[in-house]
Amino acid sequence: MFTPDELTHLKQHVSHYPEPRAGAIYCLYAVQDKVGYINDQGIDIVTQLTGLSKTQQEELISFYTLLRRRPVGRHVLRICDSITCHVMGSKTIINTAVKHTGVPMGEVSKDGSVTILPSICLGLCDKAPAALLNEMDEVENLTVLSTTEYLTKLSQRPHDANNKGSGSSIITTSRLGDDN
């Protein structure tokens, strides 16, 4: 799964902590960036790097909403469903997105372009209802019309094969050997 240089980078990162387990989230994100989600092989690698059991990693994955255990579409759209967005109509936006993609929340659209997920507060309350695309791009002041238009454009948008729906890559060749 990882190149020798990538494994060295992960080992170096974990070694910065007095307790190797503290580096688990970083390693889990690295697996997700590499594969698109955290698979069993990734769990095994993180166990070797950190000493965390599979159960302990599953607990982390279920707690941190940006970590995922199942494959997702080329793009991940997280629609905020916290109080401000809820009051401003996020339930309607979520229903519109689910209807438009034709699949239940958390599943991959038929064309593989998108997965819609609920999200806890995104910190965009002044722009509610809001969403986050691929953990990076803010989508603000959503309406039924703007949601439908956005999802249509998104299904036609090219996808960076290195992105895997996460928005960024933790491990890149330019960062290998970087102690930060």
Side-chain angles (χ1 to χ4, degrees):
M1 171 185 295
F2 291 112
T3 67
D5 285 343
E6 290 170 338
L7 279 173
T8 298
H9 173 77
L10 290 173
K11 288 175 186 173
Q12 288 173 346
H13 182 82
V14 170
S15 74
H16 284 99
Y17 297 99
E19 173 61 43
R21 295 170 174 227
I25 293 173
Y26 182 87
C27 293
L28 289 167
Y29 272 118
V31 170
Q32 183 169 287
D33 283 347
K34 190 79 169 180
V35 182
Y37 67 103
I38 300 165
N39 61 12
D40 290 340
Q41 181 185 8
I43 294 280
D44 293 341
I45 291 170
V46 175
T47 295
Q48 293 169 10
L49 292 167
T50 66
L52 279 178
S53 70
K54 179 177 180 177
T55 301
Q56 290 168 317
Q57 291 178 64
E58 294 289 356
E59 290 170 350
L60 279 174
I61 294 165
S62 67
F63 181 78
Y64 290 98
T65 60
L66 297 181
L67 293 171
R68 53 187 174 265
R69 197 71 165 97
R70 298 183 324 176
V72 293
R74 293 186 310 272
H75 303 285
V76 176
L77 185 66
R78 294 181 179 277
I79 301 175
C80 180
D81 63 356
S82 290
I83 189 67
T84 302
C85 285
H86 179 77
V87 167
M88 297 300 290
S90 67
K91 185 174 182 176
T92 301
I93 300 306
I94 290 170
N95 290 338
T96 298
V98 167
K99 183 178 178 183
H100 184 79
T101 59
V103 293
M105 183 80 67
E107 299 296 324
V108 181
S109 61
K110 291 176 185 175
D111 65 0
S113 66
V114 69
T115 296
I116 307 295
L117 296 171
S119 184
I120 57 172
C121 187
L122 298 171
L124 300 169
C125 301
D126 60 325
K127 300 165 186 162
L132 194 63
L133 177 66
N134 297 336
E135 320 308 349
M136 293 177 52
D137 299 327
E138 298 173 3
V139 188
E140 307 160 349
N141 303 309
L142 289 165
T143 64
V144 170
L145 180 60
S146 70
T147 301
T148 303
E149 289 173 349
Y150 188 78
L151 288 168
T152 298
K153 288 178 186 173
L154 192 59
S155 68
Q156 299 164 355
R157 186 172 163 182
H159 175 67
D160 176 359
N162 295 319
N163 186 321
K164 306 277 192 278
S166 64
S168 65
S169 179
I170 285 181
I171 300 177
T172 62
T173 53
S174 63
R175 294 183 65 196
L176 290 177
D178 185 6
D179 288 338
N180 296 325

Coordinates of all heavy atoms in Angstrom, one line a residue, residues 41-101:
Q41 N -6.4 -3.6 5.2 CA -4.9 -3.6 5.1 C -4.3 -2.4 5.8 O -3.3 -2.4 6.5 CB -4.5 -3.6 3.6 CG -3.0 -3.6 3.4 CD -2.6 -3.5 2.0 OE1 -3.4 -3.3 1.1 NE2 -1.3 -3.6 1.7
G42 N -5.0 -1.3 5.7 CA -4.6 0.0 6.3 C -4.7 -0.2 7.8 O -3.8 0.3 8.6
I43 N -5.7 -0.8 8.3 CA -5.8 -1.0 9.8 C -4.6 -1.8 10.3 O -4.0 -1.5 11.3 CB -7.1 -1.8 10.1 CG1 -8.3 -0.9 9.8 CG2 -7.2 -2.3 11.6 CD1 -8.7 0.2 10.8
D44 N -4.2 -2.9 9.5 CA -3.1 -3.7 9.9 C -1.8 -2.9 9.9 O -1.0 -3.0 10.8 CB -2.9 -4.9 8.9 CG -4.1 -5.9 9.0 OD1 -4.8 -5.9 10.0 OD2 -4.3 -6.7 8.1
I45 N -1.6 -2.0 9.0 CA -0.4 -1.2 8.9 C -0.4 -0.2 10.1 O 0.7 -0.1 10.8 CB -0.3 -0.4 7.6 CG1 0.0 -1.4 6.4 CG2 0.7 0.7 7.6 CD1 -0.2 -0.8 5.1
V46 N -1.5 0.4 10.4 CA -1.6 1.3 11.5 C -1.3 0.6 12.9 O -0.7 1.1 13.8 CB -2.9 2.1 11.6 CG1 -3.0 3.0 12.8 CG2 -3.0 3.0 10.3
T47 N -1.8 -0.7 13.0 CA -1.5 -1.5 14.1 C 0.0 -1.7 14.3 O 0.6 -1.5 15.4 CB -2.2 -2.9 14.0 OG1 -3.6 -2.7 14.1 CG2 -1.8 -3.8 15.2
Q48 N 0.7 -2.0 13.2 CA 2.1 -2.2 13.2 C 2.9 -0.9 13.6 O 3.9 -0.9 14.3 CB 2.6 -2.7 11.9 CG 2.2 -4.1 11.5 CD 2.5 -4.4 10.1 OE1 3.2 -3.7 9.4 NE2 1.9 -5.5 9.6
L49 N 2.4 0.3 13.1 CA 3.0 1.5 13.4 C 2.8 2.1 14.8 O 3.6 2.7 15.4 CB 2.5 2.6 12.4 CG 3.0 2.4 10.9 CD1 2.2 3.3 10.0 CD2 4.5 2.6 10.8
T50 N 1.6 1.8 15.3 CA 1.2 2.5 16.6 C 0.9 1.5 17.7 O 0.8 2.0 18.9 CB -0.1 3.3 16.3 OG1 -1.2 2.4 16.0 CG2 0.1 4.3 15.2
G51 N 0.6 0.3 17.4 CA 0.3 -0.6 18.5 C -1.2 -0.6 18.9 O -1.6 -1.4 19.7
L52 N -2.0 0.2 18.2 CA -3.4 0.2 18.4 C -4.1 -1.0 17.9 O -3.8 -1.4 16.7 CB -4.1 1.4 17.8 CG -4.0 2.7 18.5 CD1 -4.7 3.8 17.7 CD2 -4.6 2.7 19.9
S53 N -5.0 -1.6 18.6 CA -5.8 -2.8 18.1 C -6.8 -2.3 17.0 O -7.1 -1.2 16.9 CB -6.5 -3.5 19.2 OG -7.5 -2.7 19.7
K54 N -7.3 -3.3 16.3 CA -8.4 -3.0 15.3 C -9.6 -2.3 16.0 O -10.1 -1.4 15.5 CB -8.8 -4.3 14.6 CG -9.9 -4.0 13.6 CD -10.3 -5.3 12.9 CE -11.4 -4.9 11.9 NZ -11.8 -6.1 11.0
T55 N -9.9 -2.8 17.2 CA -11.1 -2.3 17.9 C -10.8 -0.8 18.3 O -11.7 0.0 18.2 CB -11.4 -3.1 19.2 OG1 -11.7 -4.4 18.8 CG2 -12.5 -2.5 20.0
Q56 N -9.6 -0.5 18.8 CA -9.3 0.8 19.2 C -9.3 1.8 17.9 O -9.8 2.9 18.0 CB -7.9 0.9 19.8 CG -7.9 0.2 21.2 CD -6.5 0.0 21.7 OE1 -5.6 -0.4 21.0 NE2 -6.3 0.3 23.0
Q57 N -8.9 1.3 16.8 CA -8.9 2.1 15.6 C -10.3 2.3 15.1 O -10.7 3.4 14.7 CB -8.1 1.4 14.5 CG -6.6 1.5 14.8 CD -5.8 0.8 13.7 OE1 -5.8 1.2 12.6 NE2 -5.1 -0.3 14.1
E58 N -11.2 1.3 15.2 CA -12.6 1.4 14.8 C -13.3 2.5 15.7 O -14.1 3.2 15.3 CB -13.3 0.1 15.0 CG -12.9 -1.0 14.0 CD -13.3 -0.8 12.6 OE1 -14.0 0.2 12.3 OE2 -12.9 -1.6 11.7
E59 N -12.9 2.5 17.0 CA -13.4 3.5 17.9 C -13.0 4.9 17.4 O -13.8 5.8 17.4 CB -12.9 3.3 19.3 CG -13.6 2.0 20.0 CD -12.9 1.6 21.3 OE1 -11.9 2.2 21.6 OE2 -13.5 0.8 22.0
L60 N -11.8 5.1 17.1 CA -11.3 6.4 16.5 C -12.0 6.8 15.3 O -12.5 7.9 15.1 CB -9.8 6.3 16.2 CG -8.8 6.5 17.4 CD1 -7.4 6.3 16.9 CD2 -9.0 7.9 18.0
I61 N -12.1 5.8 14.4 CA -12.8 6.1 13.1 C -14.3 6.5 13.3 O -14.8 7.4 12.6 CB -12.7 4.9 12.1 CG1 -11.2 4.6 11.8 CG2 -13.5 5.0 10.9 CD1 -10.9 3.3 11.2
S62 N -14.9 5.8 14.2 CA -16.4 6.1 14.4 C -16.5 7.5 15.2 O -17.5 8.1 15.0 CB -17.1 5.0 15.2 OG -16.6 4.9 16.5
F63 N -15.5 7.9 15.9 CA -15.6 9.2 16.6 C -15.3 10.3 15.7 O -16.0 11.4 15.7 CB -14.6 9.2 17.8 CG -14.7 10.4 18.6 CD1 -15.7 10.7 19.5 CD2 -13.7 11.4 18.4 CE1 -15.7 11.8 20.2 CE2 -13.7 12.6 19.2 CZ -14.7 12.8 20.1
Y64 N -14.3 10.2 14.9 CA -13.9 11.3 14.0 C -14.6 11.2 12.7 O -14.4 10.3 11.9 CB -12.4 11.3 13.8 CG -11.6 11.7 15.0 CD1 -11.0 10.7 15.8 CD2 -11.5 13.0 15.3 CE1 -10.4 11.1 17.0 CE2 -10.8 13.4 16.5 CZ -10.2 12.4 17.3 OH -9.6 12.8 18.4
T65 N -15.5 12.2 12.4 CA -16.4 12.1 11.3 C -15.7 12.2 9.9 O -16.2 11.9 8.9 CB -17.5 13.1 11.4 OG1 -16.9 14.4 11.4 CG2 -18.4 12.9 12.6
L66 N -14.5 12.7 9.9 CA -13.7 12.9 8.7 C -13.0 11.6 8.3 O -12.5 11.5 7.2 CB -12.8 14.1 8.7 CG -13.4 15.4 8.9 CD1 -12.3 16.5 8.9 CD2 -14.4 15.7 7.8
L67 N -13.0 10.6 9.2 CA -12.4 9.3 8.8 C -13.6 8.4 8.4 O -14.7 8.5 8.9 CB -11.7 8.7 10.1 CG -10.5 9.4 10.5 CD1 -10.0 8.9 11.9 CD2 -9.4 9.3 9.5
R68 N -13.3 7.6 7.4 CA -14.4 6.7 6.9 C -13.8 5.3 6.6 O -12.7 5.1 6.2 CB -15.0 7.3 5.7 CG -14.1 7.7 4.6 CD -14.8 8.5 3.5 NE -13.8 8.9 2.5 CZ -13.3 10.1 2.5 NH1 -13.6 11.0 3.4 NH2 -12.4 10.4 1.6
R69 N -14.7 4.4 6.8 CA -14.4 3.0 6.7 C -14.9 2.4 5.4 O -14.6 1.2 5.1 CB -15.0 2.2 7.9 CG -14.4 0.9 8.2 CD -13.0 0.9 8.7 NE -12.7 -0.4 9.3 CZ -12.1 -1.3 8.7 NH1 -11.6 -1.2 7.4 NH2 -11.8 -2.5 9.3
R70 N -15.7 3.1 4.6 CA -16.3 2.6 3.4 C -15.9 3.5 2.2 O -15.6 4.7 2.4 CB -17.8 2.6 3.5 CG -18.3 1.7 4.6 CD -19.8 1.6 4.6 NE -20.5 2.9 4.3 CZ -21.8 3.0 4.3 NH1 -22.6 2.0 4.5 NH2 -22.3 4.2 4.0
P71 N -15.9 2.9 1.0 CA -15.6 3.8 -0.2 C -16.6 4.9 -0.3 O -17.7 4.8 0.1 CB -15.7 2.8 -1.3 CG -15.5 1.4 -0.7 CD -16.1 1.5 0.7
V72 N -16.1 6.0 -1.0 CA -17.0 7.1 -1.2 C -16.8 7.5 -2.7 O -16.0 6.9 -3.4 CB -16.6 8.3 -0.4 CG1 -16.9 8.1 1.1 CG2 -15.1 8.7 -0.6
G73 N -17.7 8.4 -3.2 CA -17.6 8.9 -4.5 C -16.4 9.7 -4.8 O -15.6 10.0 -3.9
R74 N -16.2 10.1 -6.0 CA -15.0 10.9 -6.4 C -15.0 12.2 -5.6 O -14.0 12.8 -5.4 CB -15.0 11.2 -7.9 CG -14.8 10.0 -8.8 CD -14.7 10.3 -10.2 NE -15.7 11.2 -10.8 CZ -16.9 10.7 -11.3 NH1 -17.2 9.5 -11.3 NH2 -17.8 11.6 -11.8
H75 N -16.2 12.7 -5.2 CA -16.3 13.9 -4.4 C -17.2 13.6 -3.2 O -18.1 12.8 -3.3 CB -17.0 15.0 -5.2 CG -16.3 15.4 -6.5 ND1 -15.1 16.1 -6.5 CD2 -16.5 15.1 -7.8 CE1 -14.7 16.2 -7.7 NE2 -15.5 15.6 -8.5
V76 N -16.8 14.2 -2.1 CA -17.6 14.0 -0.8 C -18.2 15.3 -0.5 O -17.4 16.3 -0.2 CB -16.7 13.4 0.3 CG1 -17.5 13.3 1.6 CG2 -16.1 12.1 -0.1
L77 N -19.5 15.4 -0.4 CA -20.2 16.6 0.0 C -20.8 16.4 1.4 O -21.7 15.6 1.6 CB -21.3 17.0 -1.0 CG -21.9 18.3 -0.8 CD1 -21.0 19.5 -0.9 CD2 -23.1 18.5 -1.7
R78 N -20.2 17.1 2.4 CA -20.7 17.1 3.7 C -21.6 18.2 4.0 O -21.2 19.4 3.9 CB -19.5 17.1 4.7 CG -18.6 15.9 4.7 CD -17.5 16.1 5.7 NE -16.7 14.9 5.6 CZ -16.9 13.7 6.2 NH1 -18.0 13.6 6.9 NH2 -16.1 12.7 6.1
I79 N -22.9 17.9 4.2 CA -23.9 19.0 4.4 C -24.1 19.1 5.9 O -24.4 18.2 6.6 CB -25.2 18.7 3.7 CG1 -25.0 18.5 2.2 CG2 -26.2 19.8 4.0 CD1 -26.2 18.1 1.4
C80 N -23.9 20.3 6.4 CA -24.0 20.6 7.9 C -25.5 20.4 8.3 O -26.4 20.9 7.7 CB -23.6 22.0 8.2 SG -23.7 22.4 9.9
D81 N -25.6 19.7 9.4 CA -27.0 19.5 10.0 C -27.0 19.9 11.4 O -27.9 19.5 12.2 CB -27.5 18.1 9.8 CG -26.6 17.0 10.5 OD1 -25.6 17.4 11.1 OD2 -27.0 15.8 10.5
S82 N -26.1 20.8 11.8 CA -26.1 21.3 13.2 C -27.2 22.4 13.3 O -27.8 22.8 12.3 CB -24.7 21.9 13.6 OG -23.8 20.9 13.7
I83 N -27.4 22.9 14.5 CA -28.5 23.8 14.8 C -28.8 24.9 13.9 O -29.9 25.1 13.4 CB -28.5 24.2 16.3 CG1 -29.8 24.9 16.7 CG2 -27.3 25.1 16.6 CD1 -31.0 24.0 16.7
T84 N -27.8 25.7 13.6 CA -28.0 26.9 12.7 C -28.4 26.5 11.3 O -29.4 27.0 10.7 CB -26.8 27.8 12.7 OG1 -26.4 28.2 14.0 CG2 -27.0 29.0 11.8
C85 N -27.7 25.5 10.8 CA -28.0 25.1 9.4 C -29.4 24.4 9.4 O -30.1 24.5 8.5 CB -26.9 24.1 8.9 SG -25.4 25.0 8.4
H86 N -29.7 23.6 10.5 CA -31.0 23.0 10.6 C -32.1 24.0 10.5 O -33.1 23.9 9.8 CB -31.0 22.1 11.8 CG -32.3 21.4 12.0 ND1 -32.7 20.3 11.3 CD2 -33.4 21.7 12.8 CE1 -33.9 19.9 11.6 NE2 -34.4 20.8 12.5
V87 N -31.9 25.1 11.3 CA -33.0 26.1 11.4 C -33.1 26.8 10.0 O -34.2 27.2 9.6 CB -32.6 27.1 12.5 CG1 -33.5 28.4 12.4 CG2 -32.8 26.5 13.9
M88 N -32.0 26.9 9.3 CA -32.0 27.6 8.0 C -32.4 26.6 6.9 O -32.3 27.0 5.7 CB -30.6 28.2 7.7 CG -30.2 29.3 8.7 SD -31.4 30.7 8.8 CE -31.1 31.4 7.2
G89 N -32.7 25.4 7.1 CA -33.3 24.5 6.1 C -32.4 23.4 5.6 O -32.6 22.9 4.5
S90 N -31.4 23.0 6.4 CA -30.5 21.9 6.0 C -31.2 20.6 5.7 O -30.8 19.8 4.8 CB -29.3 21.7 6.9 OG -29.8 21.2 8.2
K91 N -32.3 20.3 6.4 CA -33.0 19.1 6.2 C -33.5 19.0 4.8 O -33.4 18.0 4.1 CB -34.1 18.9 7.2 CG -34.8 17.6 7.1 CD -35.8 17.4 8.2 CE -36.5 16.0 8.1 NZ -37.4 15.8 9.1
T92 N -34.0 20.1 4.3 CA -34.5 20.2 2.9 C -33.4 20.1 1.9 O -33.5 19.4 0.9 CB -35.2 21.6 2.7 OG1 -36.3 21.7 3.6 CG2 -35.7 21.7 1.3
I93 N -32.2 20.7 2.3 CA -31.0 20.6 1.4 C -30.6 19.1 1.3 O -30.3 18.6 0.3 CB -29.9 21.5 1.9 CG1 -30.4 23.0 1.9 CG2 -28.7 21.3 1.1 CD1 -31.0 23.5 0.6
I94 N -30.5 18.5 2.5 CA -30.1 17.1 2.5 C -31.0 16.2 1.7 O -30.6 15.4 0.9 CB -29.9 16.6 4.0 CG1 -28.7 17.2 4.6 CG2 -29.8 15.0 4.0 CD1 -28.7 17.0 6.1
N95 N -32.3 16.4 1.9 CA -33.3 15.6 1.1 C -33.2 15.9 -0.4 O -33.3 15.0 -1.2 CB -34.7 16.0 1.6 CG -35.0 15.4 3.0 OD1 -34.4 14.5 3.4 ND2 -36.0 16.0 3.7
T96 N -32.9 17.1 -0.8 CA -32.8 17.5 -2.2 C -31.5 16.8 -2.7 O -31.6 16.2 -3.8 CB -32.6 19.0 -2.3 OG1 -33.8 19.6 -1.9 CG2 -32.3 19.4 -3.8
A97 N -30.4 16.8 -2.0 CA -29.2 16.1 -2.4 C -29.4 14.6 -2.6 O -28.9 14.0 -3.6 CB -28.1 16.4 -1.4
V98 N -30.0 14.0 -1.6 CA -30.3 12.6 -1.7 C -31.2 12.2 -2.9 O -30.9 11.3 -3.6 CB -30.9 12.1 -0.4 CG1 -31.5 10.7 -0.5 CG2 -29.9 12.1 0.8
K99 N -32.2 13.0 -3.1 CA -33.1 12.8 -4.2 C -32.4 13.0 -5.5 O -32.5 12.2 -6.5 CB -34.3 13.8 -4.1 CG -35.3 13.6 -5.2 CD -36.5 14.5 -5.1 CE -37.5 14.3 -6.2 NZ -38.6 15.2 -6.1
H100 N -31.6 14.0 -5.6 CA -30.8 14.3 -6.9 C -29.8 13.3 -7.2 O -29.7 12.9 -8.4 CB -30.1 15.7 -6.8 CG -29.5 16.1 -8.0 ND1 -30.1 16.6 -9.1 CD2 -28.2 16.0 -8.4 CE1 -29.3 16.9 -10.1 NE2 -28.1 16.5 -9.7
T101 N -29.1 12.8 -6.2 CA -28.1 11.7 -6.5 C -28.7 10.3 -6.7 O -28.1 9.5 -7.2 CB -27.1 11.6 -5.4 OG1 -27.7 11.4 -4.1 CG2 -26.3 12.9 -5.3

